Amino acid sequence: MVKQLDAVFHALADPTRRTMVRTLAGADRTVGELAAPHPISLAAASKHIKVLERAGIVQRTVRGRQHVCRLVAEPLAAASDHLRFYERFWTGRLDALEAFVTPAPEEDPE
Amino acid sequence: MVKQLDAVFHALADPTRRTMVRTLAGADRTVGELAAPHPISLAAASKHIKVLERAGIVQRTVRGRQHVCRLVAEPLAAASDHLRFYERFWTGRLDALEAFVTPAPEEDPE
DNA sequence: TCTATTGTCAACCATGTGGTTAAGCAACTG
DNA sequence: CAGTTGCTTAACCACATGGTTGACAATAGA
């Protein structure tokens, strides 16, 4: 079973998917609208969106024959938190020591 | 050719790799030290580290027969920036409007 | 009702991923 | 010098990924 964070990072590892998410940040879109800017078939776009759904980043509402996609930000927040842990490495400020205190989330131990 | 951001997100999509990075946040480590906590062969760990290197997250220094790995945070900062764009979606504060003004980085158009 | 639109699903293909084992090199240790 | 340690590389395997095409379902519109 894939963990949420795995799925989120994997979803964002593809530029096509990142563009889709970026678009959804502006407004809800149908599958067709999300696919349009990309030189891929609708079926391929459909797969991309399924990846985003699996990561919990996108939620779908069927409205008539169109599927309207909506951005769900919480999983992105989790990923952002994970990265923010390393903030003290690229900001000179060592006062970001709070991050250092944060207990490492104990991943992997299965 | 894979772009940096792709590589960073991909590198972080694996819990084993995330644990390695987390470990490197504490101190530099040899390949063996990074591999030790994981139930995988040294060869597999070597591959993981190569993925991290390709993403620019890790730099290697050969010291005698051991390869010492060091965390390089800049690529993580780039990924963090990307995610921070969506911050306004999970914080109620709409005063994070600066993010809204940020021009979308125009990905994908190659 | 007939047709066009929107999208999914299944099958297929090429490539990448994550793991293994086995071989080998380089560098310490005796 | 011989053996051990630390690590990479190559070959292999099973499976996931990203793309395709073609068939199908459901809705919208004539």
Side-chain angles (χ1 to χ4, degrees):
Chain A
M1 210 218 86
V2 187
K3 279 195 290 187
Q4 176 87 348
L5 205 49
D6 295 42
V8 171
F9 280 128
H10 169 250
L12 293 177
D14 186 294
T16 300
R17 246 130 47 193
R18 283 201 303 275
T19 305
M20 288 177 166
V21 174
R22 198 61 93 154
T23 303
L24 288 175
D28 295 358
R29 306 281 178 161
T30 69
V31 171
E33 287 169 343
L34 286 175
H38 307 284
I40 57 174
S41 68
L42 203 58
S46 182
K47 282 194 197 175
H48 278 304
I49 292 170
K50 223 180 305 177
V51 170
L52 294 172
E53 277 187 299
R54 204 169 56 201
I57 300 175
V58 158
Q59 262 184 18
R60 181 192 307 243
T61 311
V62 179
R63 198 184 57 195
R65 66 188 150 173
Q66 9 199 27
H67 296 209
V68 179
C69 298
R70 203 182 88 249
L71 180 63
V72 179
E74 284 69 29
L76 295 178
S80 183
D81 283 352
H82 188 91
L83 283 175
R84 214 186 304 272
F85 174 85
Y86 301 98
E87 202 167 306
R88 61 197 174 96
F89 285 97
W90 63 78
T91 70
R93 310 180 284 107
L94 263 241
D95 57 318
L97 249 178
E98 43 186 358
F100 189 67
V101 172
T102 303
E106 284 294 335
E107 297 206 75
D108 209 38
E110 55 255 42
Chain B
M1 208 219 87
V2 187
K3 279 195 292 187
Q4 176 88 347
L5 203 50
D6 295 42
V8 172
F9 280 129
H10 169 250
L12 293 177
D14 186 294
T16 300
R17 245 128 50 191
R18 281 202 304 274
T19 305
M20 288 177 166
V21 174
R22 197 62 95 156
T23 303
L24 289 175
D28 295 358
R29 307 280 178 160
T30 68
V31 171
E33 287 168 342
L34 287 176
H38 306 284
I40 56 173
S41 68
L42 203 60
S46 181
K47 281 194 196 176
H48 278 304
I49 293 169
K50 223 179 307 176
V51 170
L52 293 171
E53 277 187 301
R54 204 170 54 200
I57 300 176
V58 157
Q59 262 183 19
R60 182 192 306 245
T61 312
V62 178
R63 198 183 57 196
R65 65 188 151 175
Q66 8 199 30
H67 295 208
V68 179
C69 298
R70 202 183 88 251
L71 180 64
V72 179
E74 284 69 29
L76 295 178
S80 184
D81 283 352
H82 188 91
L83 282 175
R84 214 186 305 273
F85 173 85
Y86 301 98
E87 202 167 307
R88 62 197 173 97
F89 286 97
W90 64 77
T91 69
R93 309 179 287 106
L94 262 242
D95 56 319
L97 249 179
E98 44 185 357
F100 189 65
V101 173
T102 304
E106 283 295 335
E107 297 204 78
D108 209 39
E110 56 254 43

